[in-house]
Amino acid sequence: MAAFKTQVVSAHEDGAISAAVQQLDAGNLVAVPTETVYGLAADACTDAAVQKIYQAKGRPSYNPLICHVADAAMAERYVAVTAGAKQLMEAFWPGPLTLVLDRLPGSGIAASVTAGLDTLAVRAPKHPTTHKIIETLGRPVAAPSANPSGKLSPTSAEDVLEGLAGKLPLILDGGRSDVGIESTIVGVKGDKYYLLRPGSITPDDITEATGAPVYDRDDTKITAPGQLLSHYAPNAPVRLNATEKQAGEILIGFGDIAGDISLSTSGDTLEAAHNLFEILRKADTMGAGTIAVAPIPDAGVGIALNDRLRRAAAPREAA
Ligand code: TXA
Ligand code: MG
């Protein structure tokens, strides 16, 4: 793959959005800010462009991508939107909710986006820069998190540059990501809802919007091939549910456990989500032999935090 001189441009700079749209329209990659994490975007309707995402990330080709749309109307061109899915879009879009819905055949989405599945994951991001880019382009962009496969997701333009410099022409800097962890993914089959990936929008939030229960992903036949166990990993090994620090460790605290650095001293799980990946990166740069993490209650947004932490602590695949 050609090496690029990767440019980081402020999203507020004149012409930044049109430069991004031009690159995407020409089939090139652009890293874009979203409210969850930064995304590595390509025109979702051009297979050669989407292939560049897999190459730049070193992502396995069986792991499908999320299609980012401007709004529900754009989503309806590509997926069958059930009444319940429509309610969820109205309640949470634009925002950190991805819906996996039946793909409309012949809609023009490149085959490599869905990795051969009959379903398509769609999300309307809230960050105004990326919203504007998609609206101007007039079609969706496929975008996974803008990090090398298996590594920590990026919540700033600098994080993207650190992981992917030379692999893309342009990174738009839109500030620190607000939410800090990836979107909640809900699979919709008829009038049933399945949690495929926990996030800041909780199962209770989904139930409140639809009146229906949310089932565990293990109860479904919906495949989420990307949910590999080792993922979101810092360089140092991770030890969970640590109440005390051992030799060589950096302890990441939460609530009453202060640690060397805290996810949230007040025990606020949304604040912890905002800080999670940045603090794991920081623990690496502080030279941790092992990163120990204080217990986090497994409820609400804590479910998503524990999901990411379990993956960070899982045995790594051989490099
Ligand atoms: O917050 C987010 O969702 C971020 C930002 C950039 O929008 N994106 C993100 O993408 O986290 P990625 O590629 O890192 O994670 C996408 C997940 C993968 O686990 C993949 O397996 C799942 O979505 N996925 C995509 N399409 C799917 C489908 N048709 N059925 C089931 N799972 C799907
Ligand atoms: Mg990812």
Side-chain angles (χ1 to χ4, degrees), residues 301-315:
V301 181
I303 298 170
L305 292 167
N306 285 318
D307 168 77
R308 303 307 189 277
L309 287 168
R310 263 196 309 278
R311 291 172 198 282

Side-chain angles (χ1 to χ4, degrees), residues 20-284:
V21 172
Q22 263 173 31
Q23 288 286 0
L24 291 166
D25 200 38
N28 294 323
L29 301 180
V30 181
V32 295
T34 91
E35 72 281 15
T36 58
V37 300
Y38 274 66
L40 183 62
D43 174 4
C45 298
T46 303
D47 207 68
V50 176
Q51 294 291 349
K52 293 181 184 172
I53 295 178
Y54 287 92
Q55 282 169 29
K57 278 183 65 89
R59 182 176 176 109
S61 60
Y62 54 80
N63 188 359
L65 305 173
I66 297 174
C67 232
H68 293 67
V69 294
D71 49 30
M74 190 182 276
E76 280 174 333
R77 292 170 14 202
Y78 304 97
V79 286
V81 179
T82 63
K86 194 66 193 263
Q87 282 177 316
L88 288 172
M89 290 173 180
E90 277 163 10
F92 299 110
W93 279 13
L97 177 68
T98 296
L99 296 171
V100 173
L101 295 163
D102 288 336
R103 186 163 57 86
L104 296 179
S107 66
I109 295 295
S112 50
V113 173
T114 56
L117 299 174
D118 296 332
T119 51
L120 178 67
V122 287
R123 152 167 139 76
K126 189 170 192 167
H127 196 292
T129 299
T130 296
H131 177 85
K132 188 79 195 160
I133 288 171
I134 300 166
E135 204 177 39
T136 310
L137 185 68
R139 55 188 189 276
V141 296
S145 49
N147 53 297
S149 198
K151 300 290 188 188
L152 294 171
S153 293
T155 54
S156 70
E158 300 82 71
D159 294 346
V160 178
L161 190 65
E162 188 187 306
L164 296 177
K167 303 224 158 130
L168 74 170
L170 180 62
I171 300 171
L172 280 202
D173 184 349
R176 268 290 296 285
S177 294
D178 187 21
V179 176
I181 56 170
E182 304 81 353
S183 61
T184 303
I185 306 182
V186 172
V188 184
K189 275 280 168 220
D191 55 4
K192 300 252 184 327
Y193 305 89
Y194 299 93
L195 185 67
L196 302 183
R197 180 174 70 188
S200 62
I201 292 174
T202 66
D204 285 349
D205 296 333
I206 302 293
T207 296
E208 200 175 304
T210 59
V214 178
Y215 298 103
D216 204 74
R217 60 181 293 250
D218 297 336
D219 300 341
T220 176
K221 297 281 177 293
I222 300 177
T223 0
Q227 300 296 316
L228 312 168
L229 187 58
S230 171
H231 213 105
Y232 315 115
N235 296 325
V238 176
R239 182 170 74 88
L240 301 181
N241 297 314
T243 48
E244 275 168 15
K245 177 169 157 163
Q246 295 172 3
E249 288 185 342
I250 299 259
L251 176 59
I252 298 180
F254 178 81
D256 290 342
I257 297 177
D260 298 297
I261 178 167
S262 180
L263 289 168
S264 166
T265 50
S266 64
D268 176 341
T269 49
L270 264 184
E271 183 186 11
H274 176 75
N275 291 330
L276 180 69
F277 289 131
E278 203 202 14
I279 285 185
L280 287 171
R281 279 173 196 275
K282 197 157 182 188
D284 263 341

